[in-house]
Amino acid sequence: EEGSTLGVGAASTTPITLRNTQGLYIEQAPLYIKAKEGKMYQEDLETVAVNLVLWEENGQIIIVESYVLDQTTLIQIAEGLEVNE
């Protein structure tokens, strides 16, 4: 939806082109993960920084992320994906 936002904190963002469309590379975006068993409360969450590429294709937002891989590798993976139409 136009006007929607993705909070990435102080993460670095870089416009990119992949799969013949405009996308975004985000470096060290904060991602919250569940760290403990049971119900999920804010104090039970751990923050992990991930690198990710995202773009829209065929009306879907597609994200490829990793806490280890760099921009070049993430783009290579994204370029090799087969997207259902």
Side-chain angles (χ1 to χ4, degrees):
E1 176 179 321
E2 189 173 336
S4 294
T5 61
L6 171 66
V8 296
S12 169
T13 61
T14 306
I16 58 172
T17 300
L18 71 163
R19 300 176 65 88
N20 298 316
T21 190
Q22 292 296 312
L24 193 63
Y25 170 70
I26 304 173
E27 185 174 26
Q28 299 295 293
L31 176 70
Y32 291 97
I33 60 170
K34 186 175 179 182
K36 298 180 182 176
E37 295 293 324
K39 294 183 179 179
M40 194 161 124
Y41 298 104
Q42 184 67 33
E43 62 270 11
D44 296 335
L45 301 181
E46 209 176 290
T47 304
V48 177
V50 298
N51 300 328
L52 60 93
V53 293
L54 65 92
W55 71 99
E56 182 177 353
E57 188 170 328
N58 298 324
Q60 297 182 4
I61 302 295
I62 302 169
I63 300 172
V64 178
E65 68 181 43
S66 172
Y67 65 93
V68 177
L69 303 177
D70 63 8
Q71 178 180 352
T72 301
T73 307
L74 289 171
I75 290 173
Q76 288 172 343
I77 291 168
E79 293 287 356
L81 292 176
E82 291 184 26
V83 178
N84 293 333
E85 295 186 31

